[in-house]
Amino acid sequence: QVQLVASGGRLVQAGGSLRLSCVASGRTFAMDAMAWFRQAPGKERERVATINWNGDTTSYAESVEGRFTISRDYGKTTVYLQMNSLKPEDTAVYYCNVAPTYAALFSTNFKSWGQGTQVTVSS
């Protein structure tokens, strides 16, 4: 089983920045790919950013492209999300997850999610 602990969320004004962190433990491996997701009230969970095992491949949702940056500690299942120019529509609970391959980040029905971290952007 995988344990996922996300942190760093808080209330921030529009235009501000936040850096989220997430540590995955348990049945994880250093070469796992990782991703950030978010779920806003009344909406489905969406994939925000992805990163492969060594950080040289990333992707972003169109809504955050150019504002968010995903990164990770090499050799560890720790992932970060630097969020700049935050907008009220970025308000959501943010989660991370892991997958054995980069491609699996886009198709896996994840079983574990952790508690997530709340990001609230005020206008």
Side-chain angles (χ1 to χ4, degrees), residues 2 4-5 37 45 95-97 109-116:
V2 177
L4 302 155
V5 180
F37 300 77
R45 185 175 284 141
Y95 305 85
C96 76
N97 224 311
N109 184 16
F110 296 99
K111 296 180 180 179
S112 300
W113 283 102
Q115 87 291 351

Side-chain angles (χ1 to χ4, degrees), residues 8-20 38 46 48 63-69 81-94 117-123:
R10 62 176 175 86
L11 173 64
V12 63
Q13 287 190 334
S17 297
L18 280 178
R19 189 187 192 218
L20 306 183
R38 69 185 180 186
E46 63 171 337
V48 173
S63 58
V64 307
E65 182 84 53
R67 299 188 297 121
F68 290 10
T69 302
L81 188 67
Q82 177 67 42
M83 305 187 296
N84 299 327
S85 302
L86 282 161
K87 303 176 181 180
E89 50 263 45
D90 294 319
T91 294
V93 179
Y94 284 72
T117 187
Q118 175 70 50
V119 172
T120 304
V121 184
S122 63
S123 58

Side-chain angles (χ1 to χ4, degrees), residues 52-75:
N52 73 332
W53 72 277
N54 67 357
D56 68 0
T57 300
T58 59
S59 71
Y60 299 91
E62 186 175 338
S63 58
V64 307
E65 182 84 53
R67 299 188 297 121
F68 290 10
T69 302
I70 188 171
S71 61
R72 66 184 295 169
D73 286 342
Y74 184 80

